[in-house]
Amino acid sequence: MAIQKVGVVGCGLMGSGIAQVCAQSGFTTVVREVGPELVDKGLRGIEKNLARSVEKGTLNEAQRSEIRRRLTGTTALEDLKDCDLVAEAIVEQLPAKRELFAKLDSICPSSTIFASNTSSLTITEISTSTKRPDRFVGLHFFNPVPVMKLVEVVRTIATDEKVYEEMVAFGAKLGKTPVRAHDSTGFIVNRLLVPYLLDAIRAYENGLGTLEDIDKGMKLGCGYPMGPFTLLDFVGLDTTYYIANIMFEEFREPAYAPPPLLKRMVLAGRLGKKSGQGFYKY
Ligand code: CAA
Ligand code: NAD
């Protein structure tokens, strides 16, 4: 069955990017948030990105209107009932994701494929909140979704082979390069990236250098597009904290343990760029 209509749940940093890319790639897309102001905020962000593309000449006016026509926002989960694929990008917490998918399981027909954009949770554990673990995958996109070329397509031991290949093909239809990953905590990229980001915080706690100098070191010395603290603020410190806890719980290795400073920054509401302050002020 060809995917025609995509539901996206969550219209924050990642959900808005996923919704934009789906609509831009020709799919009818409906994105769900928990409140009307969050729907508006997410859609406004997408409109800003599309306007920038029109200004740069990479989209024309007609294409922008067509993309905008294909994309709708909603607060009602029931509006996702006729989607061929539902991609979830809500908060990185297992109970919230399981509760959401259990509801979706009773709303959507048994043919609908479910995907989670989780960074670190076990896809198998999310999928067992539904009666369709065979139609459940991880589709792990990267931030900012309209720009980053990768999607990790994650299979569990229960994922149907045809569903999996359909999702690999779907990733390519979005203009992304799909890589195949098993349902191992952090998949490929976060398994390597997260310890590096946490190490940067520990280095700062130990007085290795200023935030700016550590950032400059990795940016100018290694050619990374962003230094670790700029990237942490960009990803979100709350999300990073959840990810670190989940990975530490799984592997019990100090490399994944959230540094005390990260916990305190989250407790203080300094969540990074999205809250106006993280390691830096915005
Ligand atoms: N949404 C859409 N487009 C964006 C954007 C956004 N949020 N931010 C930047 N862009 C676009 C710009 O419009 C620009 O487009 P053009 O080339 O067409 O003009 C392009 O990206 C480059 O932007 P800038 O020139 O403004 O800035 P830059 O060169 O510094 O690039 C960046 C910005 C692409 C974000 C770059 O800094 C970068 O690659 N940073 C690292 C990002 C990264 O590592 N992401 C992975 C995070 S980890 C993750 O996602 C997994 C997880 O589970 C936590
Ligand atoms: P975010 O905080 O920016 O957005 C999450 C959004 O989900 C919020 O707007 C919230 O209102 C909404 N939400 C919560 N429960 C909901 C529900 N039941 N229905 C609809 N919306 C709901 O977080 P984010 O950075 O977009 O992360 C979302 C997911 O993507 C997480 O699982 C995260 O681990 C993963 N992820 C994040 C990044 C990143 O760089 N931030 C990268 C890849 C994957």
Side-chain angles (χ1 to χ4, degrees):
M1 187 196 66
I3 306 289
Q4 289 177 359
K5 184 167 179 182
V6 181
V8 179
V9 191
C11 198
L13 270 177
M14 296 303 290
S16 61
I18 296 167
Q20 179 185 328
V21 167
C22 289
Q24 231 164 323
S25 307
F27 298 98
T28 303
T29 306
V30 52
V31 58
R32 191 256 181 161
E33 255 294 347
V34 287
E37 65 295 338
L38 288 168
V39 175
D40 288 348
K41 187 176 169 213
L43 292 178
R44 271 200 311 276
I46 295 173
E47 276 158 10
K48 214 170 121 195
N49 283 347
L50 296 177
R52 207 167 46 208
S53 299
V54 172
E55 270 167 35
K56 283 188 308 208
T58 48
L59 273 185
N60 63 37
E61 273 298 345
Q63 288 167 320
R64 169 167 64 175
S65 316
E66 191 56 22
I67 293 165
R68 199 54 198 84
R69 191 191 55 74
R70 278 196 288 269
L71 177 64
T72 49
T74 183
T75 55
L77 208 54
E78 288 71 22
D79 289 345
L80 276 63
K81 66 176 183 298
D82 55 350
C83 290
D84 305 305
L85 166 69
V86 176
E88 164 273 320
I90 69 166
V91 63
E92 185 72 342
Q93 288 183 353
L94 182 65
K97 291 196 197 275
R98 280 184 60 91
E99 188 188 327
L100 171 71
F101 278 111
K103 280 191 199 146
L104 283 167
D105 200 36
S106 63
I107 291 170
C108 299
S110 57
S111 55
T112 304
I113 297 173
F114 288 166
S116 174
N117 184 52
T118 182
S119 302
S120 54
L121 289 164
T122 304
I123 302 293
T124 309
E125 201 170 3
I126 308 173
S127 75
T128 54
S129 61
T130 74
K131 293 191 195 75
R132 64 185 87 190
D134 56 327
R135 299 185 74 72
F136 208 113
V137 296
L139 276 181
H140 184 221
F141 293 91
F142 291 81
N143 182 18
V145 183
V147 179
M148 304 312 278
K149 293 279 172 237
L150 188 75
V151 60
E152 291 180 307
V153 186
V154 185
R155 54 148 50 101
T156 75
I157 51 171
T159 307
D160 178 87
E161 191 57 35
K162 275 202 193 122
V163 169
Y164 185 70
E165 291 308 326
E166 198 174 346
M167 287 299 98
V168 172
F170 176 75
K173 279 186 196 155
L174 297 185
K176 304 297 177 197
T177 299
V179 293
R180 293 158 191 268
H182 295 293
D183 186 23
S184 166
T185 305
F187 317 126
I188 298 170
V189 174
N190 282 341
R191 187 77 172 266
L192 302 176
L193 178 67
V194 172
Y196 154 71
L197 294 175
L198 301 177
D199 259 353
I201 303 174
R202 281 186 271 270
Y204 176 63
E205 283 176 329
N206 291 335
L208 211 70
T210 62
L211 294 174
E212 291 81 2
D213 282 351
I214 297 173
D215 265 1
K216 275 186 205 149
M218 296 314 292
K219 199 174 161 184
L220 304 180
C222 298
Y224 287 16
M226 287 174 165
F229 296 105
T230 309
L231 183 55
L232 280 157
D233 278 356
F234 189 60
V235 165
L237 300 187
D238 49 346
T239 301
T240 307
Y241 181 60
Y242 298 140
I243 295 172
N245 275 310
I246 293 161
M247 294 186 81
F248 181 65
E249 174 76 15
E250 176 78 1
F251 299 116
R252 308 287 171 148
E253 284 177 22
Y256 300 104
L261 177 61
L262 177 62
K263 177 176 171 180
R264 279 151 185 78
M265 290 187 69
V266 174
L267 288 172
R270 295 188 183 180
L271 308 183
K273 204 172 170 191
K274 66 182 168 187
S275 74
Q277 186 166 3
F279 287 103
Y280 297 107
K281 272 196 176 155
Y282 298 89

